[in-house]
């Protein structure tokens, strides 16, 4: 294991919260990929997570649009006018993107700027060029991929492929895609939100204002976040933070454990009533150990041997290394407790059937 210091966010002595998971500030097995699989395979409500991620992607597209707009304004503005309040305050603060201290601006400022910009940028040379590539943004092919471009990918005044320039129409297409995919009744991946929120978003997008700023999804996004935090995230922490098995694996282990336990008890009684020697009866240790181990792993949702070597199950028989330090420490402690209890019960069961006096029937 590398001796390099851990990032500050990984030194927390607690489980991460949902916002940290969604912000990609966690690692396996409590990373966003694991949460996505959990929402898809166990909660059966991945549409809520996809909605939250698509709205976040829409925000990135808006920020990218404002950054490009900032550059075009700087290029087209005479030097004596570049110090105006609008270009130096609004654009400088809204156009730096999500990274860096200056880029962490409020969505309200970004939304206010986009609303004020609506209709005023139609004459811009930068706004009249581009292609439809950005229209693919809302149909995110992979939830882990954000179709964004670094502000350092090209220098001001240089555009290697004008296709990457987002336009106002692309923001509107992105907002409409979210509305028609997730929110409207009967949509392809409809999620349940309060009617008041739905009407507010629908009116903002389809009404005379024709808004496409990210703030119009704030109420729906907050509602979905709270729903996931209340209904899905506790189960995710229990499944991945306190255990390392998926439900399919747990069910297989339970079936194997019960069958092995039945076979162990049947064999033990046969050996007792045939009055076999205690040395011969020691063979029941094997089926009892297998049976009790698998039953314990099902009850605890934890395979202690797999956990102690540092792995967790993502999908059935697909194991990946545990990288979250607090999870590794927690699973090791639970594994030690579970192994101690397992050894105690296994020893008691084996001694009972080995040392009980035999009687031939």
């Amino acid at each position: 294991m590398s001796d390099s210091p851990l990032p500050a966010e990984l030194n927390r002595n607690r489980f991460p919260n949902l916002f940290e998971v969604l912000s990609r500030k966690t690692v396996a097995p409590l990373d966003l990929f694991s949460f996505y699989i959990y929402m898809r395979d166990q909660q059966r409500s991945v549409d809520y997570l996809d909605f939250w991620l698509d709205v976040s992607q829409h925000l990135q597209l808006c920020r990218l649009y404002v950054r490009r707009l900032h550059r075009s304004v700087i290029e087209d503005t005479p030097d004596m006018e570049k110090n105006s309040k609008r270009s130096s305050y609004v654009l400088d603060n809204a156009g730096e993107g999500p990274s860096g201290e200056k880029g962490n601006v409020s969505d309200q400022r970004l939304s206010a700027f986009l609303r004020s910009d609506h209709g005023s940028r139609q004459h811009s040379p930068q706004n009249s060029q581009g292609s439809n590539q950005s229209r693919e943004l809302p149909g995110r092919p992979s939830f882990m991929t954000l179709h964004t471009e670094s502000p350092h990918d090209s220098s001001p005044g240089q555009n290697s492929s004008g296709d990457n320039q987002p336009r106002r129409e692309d923001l509107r297409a992105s907002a409409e895609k979210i509305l028609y995919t997730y929110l409207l009744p009967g949509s392809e991946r409809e999620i349940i939100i309060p009617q008041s929120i739905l009407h507010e978003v629908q009116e903002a997008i389809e009404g005379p204002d024709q808004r496409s700023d990210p703030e119009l999804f704030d109420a729906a996004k907050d509602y979905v976040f709270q729903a996931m935090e209340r209904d899905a995230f506790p189960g995710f922490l229990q499944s991945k933070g306190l255990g390392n098995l998926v439900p399919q694996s747990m069910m297989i282990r339970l079936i194997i454990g019960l069958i092995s336990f039945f076979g162990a008890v049947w064999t033990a009684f046969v050996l007792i009533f045939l009055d076999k020697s205690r040395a011969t009866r020691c063979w029941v240790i094997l089926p009892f150990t297998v049976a009790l181990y698998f039953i314990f792993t099902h009850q605890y949702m934890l395979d202690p041997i797999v956990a102690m070597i540092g792995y967790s199950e993502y999908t059935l028989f697909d194991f990946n290394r545990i990288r979250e330090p607090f999870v590794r420490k927690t699973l090791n402690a639970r594994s030690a407790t579970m192994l101690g209890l397992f050894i105690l019960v296994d020893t008691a069961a084996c001694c009972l059937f080995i040392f009980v006096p035999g009687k031939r029937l």
Side-chain angles (χ1 to χ4, degrees), residues 20-272:
E20 290 171 333
V21 173
L22 296 178
S23 301
R24 297 176 173 86
K25 295 180 180 179
T26 58
V27 292
L30 296 181
D31 55 338
L32 182 57
F33 180 72
S34 301
F35 186 56
Y36 192 90
I37 293 177
Y38 175 81
M39 292 289 288
R40 182 194 66 188
D41 296 344
Q42 299 186 38
Q43 286 289 315
R44 308 291 183 182
S45 55
V46 72
D47 292 343
Y48 288 84
L49 178 56
D50 272 329
F51 167 79
W52 199 96
L53 294 171
D54 279 342
V55 171
S56 298
Q57 182 175 330
H58 178 72
L59 172 60
Q60 298 299 325
L61 180 62
C62 292
R63 284 173 172 167
L64 178 60
Y65 169 78
V66 173
R67 284 201 298 269
R68 299 307 187 194
L69 184 61
H70 183 197
R71 291 181 180 177
S72 66
V73 169
I74 294 298
E75 293 170 4
D76 297 341
T77 302
D79 292 341
M80 66 181 60
E81 297 180 8
K82 286 184 180 180
N83 295 324
S84 65
K85 290 183 178 180
R86 183 169 181 79
S87 64
S88 63
Y89 178 75
V90 178
L91 291 176
D92 283 344
N93 283 279
E96 292 296 328
S99 61
E101 294 181 0
K102 183 182 285 189
N104 291 328
V105 296
S106 64
D107 290 350
Q108 290 83 358
R109 180 181 298 171
L110 180 61
S111 298
F113 174 76
L114 288 174
R115 288 197 297 270
S116 65
D117 175 69
H118 179 60
S120 65
R121 286 289 301 167
Q122 295 179 359
H123 64 279
S124 170
Q126 292 285 346
N127 195 44
S128 62
Q129 298 177 0
S131 73
N132 293 331
Q133 180 175 355
S134 296
R135 295 184 184 273
E136 298 176 4
L137 281 169
R140 175 173 33 80
S142 171
F143 81 96
M144 293 297 292
T145 305
L146 287 176
H147 186 88
T148 57
E149 179 183 355
S150 170
H152 304 294
D153 288 344
S154 59
S155 58
Q158 180 182 1
N159 183 15
S160 58
S161 64
D163 296 343
N164 287 332
Q165 299 286 353
R167 301 175 299 168
R168 187 73 195 208
E169 293 82 356
D170 298 323
L171 303 187
R172 176 162 177 77
S174 174
E176 290 178 343
K177 180 73 173 181
I178 294 174
L179 174 65
Y180 299 146
T181 301
Y182 298 103
L183 301 181
L184 290 183
S187 56
E188 178 184 358
R189 305 178 63 184
E190 181 185 0
I191 62 175
I192 306 301
I193 62 173
Q195 287 296 315
S196 58
I197 297 179
L198 172 60
H199 292 327
E200 181 181 345
V201 174
Q202 186 175 4
E203 176 63 23
I205 295 177
E206 298 180 340
D209 293 339
Q210 295 187 345
R211 290 173 53 187
S212 59
D213 56 276
E215 191 178 3
L216 67 90
F217 293 112
D218 277 355
K221 187 178 180 182
D222 290 342
Y223 178 85
V224 168
F225 180 90
Q226 293 171 10
M228 291 191 297
E229 188 175 41
R230 179 185 65 249
D231 300 332
F233 194 64
F236 172 68
L237 288 182
Q238 183 178 15
S239 174
K240 296 300 182 181
L242 300 177
N244 66 344
L245 298 176
V246 297
Q248 299 93 326
S249 178
M250 292 167 53
M251 183 57 62
I252 293 174
R253 289 165 180 265
L254 178 61
I255 294 173
I256 295 175
L258 292 177
I259 294 175
S260 299
F261 188 77
F262 173 80
V265 173
W266 181 83
T267 303
F269 276 112
V270 167
L271 295 177
I272 290 172

Side-chain angles (χ1 to χ4, degrees), residues 316-331:
L316 185 61
F317 303 136
D318 179 19
F319 294 90
N320 290 272
R321 181 164 291 279
I322 300 172
R323 298 177 54 205
E324 189 79 30
F326 184 73
V327 173
R328 187 164 55 242
K329 181 173 65 175
T330 301
L331 290 183

